[in-house]
Amino acid sequence: MDDTEYGRFVDWDKMETGGQEQSSPKVLNCTDFQELKQLSRQGYWAKSHSLRAKVYQKLIKDIPCRTVTPDASVYRDIVGKIVGKKNVSTLHLPEFVDDREVPSYCLNTEGIGAVRKILLCISNQFPDISFCPVLPSIVALLLHYSQDEAECFESVSRILACNDPSRRLVDQTFLAFESSCMTFGDLAGKYCQGPHKLMVAVSEDVLEVYSDWQRWLFGDLPFTYVARVFDVFLVEGYKVLFRVALALLKFFHKIRGGQPMESSNVKRDIQAFVRDISKSVSPEKLLEKAFAIRLFSRKEIHLLQMANEKALQQKGITVKQKSLLISDRQNVHLAVHAENFKSEIVSVKEMRDIWSWIPERFALCQPLLLYTNQEHGNSLNRFYLHCEGHEPTLLLIKTSKQEVCGAYLSTDWSTRRRSGNALSFFGTGECFVFRLQPEVERYEWVIIKHPELGRVASAAADEESNSSHETPESSDPSNRLSPFLATRHFNLPSKTASMFMAGSTECIIIGGGDGQALFLDSDMNYGRSSHCNTFNNQPLCSETFQIATIEVWGFKDNLNGEECSSALP
């Protein structure tokens, strides 16, 4: 094995080479992105330590960075001043690593010490980093494929200094980290409904479980696996991390889901599964599962992350404040308090189930009753009077036959006025419809499960559609659309794929195209339910029904009692 250049910090007895190094490729001349993407997914350079080292160096050197980015010479200049002759093992790590254990992977003693030195020098050169718990793992991983400490330092610096606004590489603040956790929770709710349902059932705080998603990848995964993930990450970016973490959640549910689990041990159970993943899932199977998940585009996920960041900023959560988070981020079970929640339609347990479906940025809030026909009367005008000005809202209906159904509605009902007296649809792909009785079923926007039905529109088309009605507020990129998603960002085969909600003085309609998921008349006494193209749903209750009780709920901030507002219009 050629370890004269790359491998000084490696304990070769721990490396899984399988004797394949001699027959492995020695060079990579590929420059085409699509080909490079396929090679990284296939593990083309995974079996050659020296080739992987060279590929890493090339990929990292191609990262666009700030003009002044610390390089190897800077490290050589400062390491002596920062570390000196002190015992490396006794040095305190930077606060931004969150007291995480530094993984050793396959490093030798010299390598383990070098990780700490590099982290301290990174802290010196990047004072703006306030929270980056994955950094020790990234430094340790890259040190396996670096000629010396200075080269590793330069590689990490380039990753941290990336200035391409379209590329998200490493979260460096608590706000970015928390919003990533919320975004992962949103994605898990959309693309891992079975595992997500299990997490809701066994955990008091689902988001607290999901806050470990980056630790699964950079900390718990065995070295062979994390290196394969990093191969693809350097080529394709941050979205890869979401994919692999979702795949881990799916495999955990498949392999461990049938076993009894306790709330206090869920995080530990997932951690143990990931650490021992080689017993059940190969790196190839993990990546195969990850890329079989048909996520929305990187752009759409970026917009979701921005929305979550904005929601946290609105609550004043920008730095690590554990006491604040414990009181504020009460997810699912804790957001709906048994002592102060009262509904004539759903139980506390049923409302908690619904809360587990809503976007994470609103799961930070408590339910606030806006309208009920029991108190405000059966009148569409009364409905609008109490619901307009609130966004999002939750509609609950109990029929005279004791059936229970409803809809999560992303957009303020006052939006209906933009079309004058004409009945026209509005809303976003975050809307969904559901039934609770006689059995639980949720139906989301058809594009989520079948993204092939809608192609993401070009950036030019986005700008064109925005230009006609852009306001100073909407010029903020985080205000331009709601995740899952404003339909102007999709080329849809027909308008029926985006008929989310509509209202007039005569009726309310939820979902459209070859039928309506819900139709309510002007007196709020009778309704209809059928299949519709927007949600591809079965009838939510009897196809024609009489309304016994109807409630509309808004979202109240846990901290200050004010209503939660949408981070987006």
Side-chain angles (χ1 to χ4, degrees):
M1 179 176 298
D2 180 14
D3 58 356
T4 56
E5 287 187 288
Y6 304 100
R8 165 184 165 187
F9 303 103
V10 174
D11 182 343
W12 292 105
D13 291 335
K14 296 179 181 178
M15 289 288 284
E16 296 180 18
T17 60
Q20 297 173 313
E21 186 82 14
Q22 297 299 325
S23 59
S24 298
K26 301 300 180 185
V27 295
L28 180 68
N29 297 319
C30 169
T31 57
D32 177 73
F33 173 75
Q34 291 300 324
E35 184 180 354
L36 192 63
K37 185 168 74 171
Q38 290 304 314
L39 292 175
S40 66
R41 292 185 182 188
Q42 294 165 7
Y44 180 81
W45 53 81
K47 298 181 177 68
S48 171
H49 186 85
S50 58
L51 177 59
R52 179 181 259 159
K54 293 171 185 174
V55 172
Y56 279 7
Q57 293 303 318
K58 180 183 184 307
L59 293 174
I60 292 172
K61 285 186 183 299
D62 288 341
I63 295 174
C65 295
R66 298 195 291 260
T67 304
V68 181
T69 298
D71 58 14
S73 62
V74 170
Y75 181 82
R76 297 186 185 100
D77 288 341
I78 66 173
V79 65
K81 302 172 187 175
I82 294 173
V83 179
K85 296 182 180 179
K86 300 173 184 174
N87 185 336
V88 177
S89 63
T90 64
L91 293 174
H92 292 291
L93 291 176
E95 290 187 4
F96 61 67
V97 303
D98 191 34
D99 299 324
R100 298 271 177 111
E101 179 183 349
V102 178
S104 59
Y105 293 134
C106 302
L107 294 176
N108 56 26
T109 303
E110 182 184 5
I112 294 170
V115 172
R116 303 179 77 88
K117 292 162 65 177
I118 293 167
L119 285 170
L120 290 168
C121 291
I122 289 289
S123 177
N124 175 269
Q125 292 297 300
F126 291 85
D128 291 339
I129 298 178
S130 60
F131 196 75
C132 191
V134 304
L135 201 55
S137 298
I138 292 176
V139 172
L141 175 65
L142 286 174
L143 200 58
H144 290 72
Y145 302 101
S146 301
Q147 296 185 57
D148 55 28
E149 295 171 13
E151 184 179 85
C152 181
F153 170 85
E154 180 173 326
S155 295
V156 177
S157 295
R158 291 192 65 82
I159 291 173
L160 294 171
C162 175
N163 64 356
D164 182 348
S166 67
R167 294 182 71 175
R168 187 186 188 108
L169 291 178
V170 179
D171 297 330
Q172 300 176 40
T173 66
F174 187 67
L175 178 62
F177 174 84
E178 279 296 305
S179 65
S180 290
C181 295
M182 291 171 65
T183 300
F184 179 77
D186 284 322
L187 297 174
K190 298 289 182 185
Y191 298 102
C192 300
Q193 293 190 13
H196 182 65
K197 185 176 181 180
L198 174 65
M199 293 301 105
V200 171
V202 301
S203 174
E204 289 188 349
D205 187 350
V206 177
L207 194 54
E208 184 62 26
V209 175
Y210 292 155
S211 67
D212 264 358
W213 79 275
Q214 291 188 25
R215 186 194 291 261
W216 303 342
L217 304 176
F218 296 106
D220 295 334
L221 269 182
F223 177 77
T224 304
Y225 291 71
V226 73
R228 285 294 301 276
V229 173
F230 204 74
D231 291 347
V232 190
F233 165 72
L234 284 180
V235 176
E236 301 187 44
Y238 200 92
K239 184 179 173 182
V240 166
L241 305 184
F242 283 132
R243 284 186 175 281
V244 177
L246 291 171
L248 288 170
L249 194 60
K250 283 177 174 286
F251 276 122
F252 172 77
H253 177 247
K254 179 181 179 180
I255 296 170
R256 296 286 303 275
Q259 301 176 16
M261 284 183 281
E262 298 178 9
S263 173
S264 59
N265 295 332
V266 177
K267 291 178 69 172
R268 189 179 67 190
D269 288 345
I270 297 176
Q271 182 182 54
F273 170 77
V274 175
R275 287 182 172 177
D276 294 334
I277 194 170
S278 60
K279 296 178 180 178
S280 53
V281 181
S282 68
E284 290 74 23
K285 286 292 184 183
L286 179 63
L287 290 177
E288 180 182 324
K289 174 72 77 174
F291 289 104
I293 301 171
R294 306 178 70 183
L295 292 182
F296 277 136
S297 70
R298 181 174 58 185
K299 172 183 176 181
E300 308 299 348
I301 293 175
H302 170 68
L303 287 163
L304 175 58
Q305 185 121 358
M306 290 174 66
N308 285 329
E309 281 193 15
K310 187 166 184 177
L312 290 169
Q313 286 174 321
Q314 288 173 341
K315 295 176 180 301
I317 301 175
T318 56
V319 296
K320 188 177 182 183
Q321 305 171 51
K322 285 189 176 179
S323 60
L324 178 62
L325 279 172
I326 289 170
S327 65
D328 183 57
R329 199 180 67 191
Q330 296 177 331
N331 188 289
V332 186
H333 285 72
L334 303 181
V336 184
H337 295 285
E339 63 271 17
N340 58 16
F341 173 77
K342 188 177 189 308
S343 167
E344 299 299 322
I345 299 178
V346 296
S347 66
V348 171
K349 166 67 169 62
E350 288 171 325
M351 195 62 152
R352 286 171 176 169
D353 287 341
I354 296 170
W355 230 244
S356 73
W357 298 336
I358 66 177
E360 290 289 357
R361 63 189 187 279
F362 298 116
L364 297 171
C365 306
Q366 294 177 357
L368 173 68
L369 185 62
L370 303 176
Y371 166 84
T372 169
N373 63 340
Q374 303 291 326
E375 179 180 345
H376 303 113
N378 287 66
S379 163
L380 193 50
N381 288 333
R382 290 274 184 176
F383 174 94
Y384 289 138
L385 177 66
H386 288 276
C387 297
E388 287 182 359
H390 298 271
E391 183 180 287
T393 54
L394 180 70
L395 172 70
L396 297 176
I397 297 170
K398 178 185 282 187
T399 73
S400 58
K401 295 182 179 179
Q402 303 302 301
E403 302 158 306
V404 175
C405 62
Y408 172 83
L409 303 168
S410 66
T411 307
D412 189 336
W413 277 105
S414 64
T415 306
R416 66 192 171 86
R417 296 203 191 106
R418 293 180 183 176
S419 300
N421 295 324
L423 184 69
S424 63
F425 282 90
F426 54 96
T428 74
E430 281 193 313
C431 295
F432 60 83
V433 296
F434 58 89
R435 64 168 174 247
L436 297 180
Q437 298 291 343
E439 69 278 331
V440 177
E441 191 67 57
R442 174 174 52 143
Y443 299 97
E444 297 183 291
W445 185 28
V446 66
I447 302 297
I448 291 175
K449 288 189 176 180
H450 300 282
E452 72 279 3
L453 296 178
R455 183 168 56 84
V456 176
S458 67
D462 295 345
E463 293 303 319
E464 182 180 351
S465 70
N466 283 333
S467 61
S468 62
H469 54 267
E470 189 166 287
T471 64
E473 181 181 357
S474 66
S475 63
D476 179 351
S478 66
N479 279 328
R480 285 183 187 162
L481 60 134
S482 183
F484 303 106
L485 293 157
T487 56
R488 66 174 177 266
H489 286 256
F490 288 82
N491 293 324
L492 300 174
S494 70
K495 291 184 179 180
T496 63
S498 58
M499 292 180 170
F500 299 113
M501 52 193 291
S504 68
T505 57
E506 302 298 324
C507 65
I508 281 175
I509 297 174
I510 312 297
D514 295 333
Q516 297 150 349
L518 283 171
F519 172 96
L520 305 181
D521 68 8
S522 60
D523 294 328
M524 307 290 277
N525 281 320
Y526 292 93
R528 300 193 302 267
S529 181
S530 63
H531 168 272
C532 75
N533 293 341
T534 301
F535 299 111
N536 192 28
N537 60 287
Q538 296 299 312
L540 304 178
C541 55
S542 301
E543 293 194 11
T544 59
F545 58 87
Q546 183 175 1
I547 297 172
T549 310
I550 183 168
E551 296 174 349
V552 179
W553 294 81
F555 296 79
K556 182 175 67 174
D557 191 307
N558 288 345
L559 283 180
N560 53 37
E562 297 177 356
E563 185 196 359
C564 287
S565 61
S566 174
L568 303 161

